[in-house]
Amino acid sequence: MTRQDSHTEKEKTKNILFVCTGNICRSPFAEGLFNELVEKKGVQNLAARSAGLFALPGNQATYLAQQVAAEYKVNLAEHQARLVTAELTACSDLILAMEKHHWDSVVTHFPETSDRVRLLRHFARYGSRKRGIADPYGLDYEAYRFCFLDIEDAVSGLIDHLSKAATAGHHKEKA
């Protein structure tokens, strides 16, 4: 199914794709947190997936990623890594990269996505919106926690942005 096929309904689901390197730390944090917050806030028509540019399909999130996520009530136990593919990018309305080199790689391999790729921190509420999110892989628990909280800030800002955009669009339709 393409993005256009999925947009034939009146209430369109906005599909978000989070991208990192291995799809075992950062992008699973973002996907899990996004889907958890959307459900908790009762926001309709938003869905997220994640993938990695060099993922080994089927790998679980790292042990420390699972532990930190669980500390914040996000369950990554069932996560399985997947590769970024043409199919995933085609059905994604917004592709959010953890670092600039992820953005560059997505656009290089899938040029049709160039208008839909951003850094995740573009939506951050605090700090620089131009920097990437540091990779905690191979580091300690505190590095994973810092990464999770950095992603939480950006994901919360993203959900606020998408909610406001949906509300503004809904009000336009009624006018």
Side-chain angles (χ1 to χ4, degrees):
M1 179 186 318
T2 67
R3 276 181 335 113
Q4 291 169 337
D5 294 338
S6 67
H7 290 314
T8 57
E9 309 156 20
K10 186 177 180 191
E11 291 293 323
K12 302 171 195 157
T13 295
K14 193 151 190 100
N15 295 301
I16 311 300
L17 178 64
F18 295 104
V19 175
C20 69
T21 305
N23 194 222
I24 56 173
C25 303
R26 294 174 288 179
S27 58
F29 275 166
E31 175 188 9
L33 184 59
F34 182 91
N35 289 329
E36 179 71 26
L37 290 174
V38 162
E39 183 178 329
K40 188 180 289 184
K41 292 181 177 194
V43 180
Q44 300 293 313
N45 303 316
L46 294 177
R49 296 184 79 184
S50 65
L53 294 164
F54 296 101
L56 294 172
N59 272 3
Q60 292 185 313
T62 66
Y63 175 77
L64 288 176
Q66 290 183 49
Q67 294 302 304
V68 168
E71 180 181 340
Y72 294 93
K73 309 287 189 269
V74 174
N75 185 351
L76 298 183
E78 301 300 317
H79 175 77
Q80 292 191 353
R82 69 177 67 84
L83 278 168
V84 175
T85 63
E87 183 180 3
L88 270 177
T89 61
C91 64
S92 299
D93 298 295
L94 184 60
I95 301 167
L96 296 169
M98 297 298 148
E99 296 181 72
K100 180 69 167 79
H101 67 92
H102 297 131
W103 177 344
D104 293 340
S105 186
V106 168
V107 171
T108 298
H109 289 94
F110 310 101
E112 68 282 359
T113 66
S114 64
D115 63 334
R116 296 180 277 132
V117 182
R118 303 279 181 279
L119 281 177
L120 174 57
R121 285 219 32 99
H122 174 81
F123 296 98
R125 298 173 298 170
Y126 308 105
S128 173
R129 291 181 169 187
K130 295 181 181 180
R131 70 171 174 80
I133 293 175
D135 192 351
Y137 185 76
L139 301 176
D140 64 11
Y141 191 88
E142 289 306 313
Y144 275 83
R145 179 183 280 142
F146 179 82
C147 177
F148 185 90
L149 294 174
D150 201 15
I151 289 170
E152 180 183 43
D153 171 44
V155 166
S156 294
L158 170 64
I159 292 170
D160 289 347
H161 171 79
L162 294 173
S163 297
K164 288 175 187 169
T167 301
H170 183 69
H171 288 301
K172 272 186 190 176
E173 288 177 11
K174 286 188 171 184

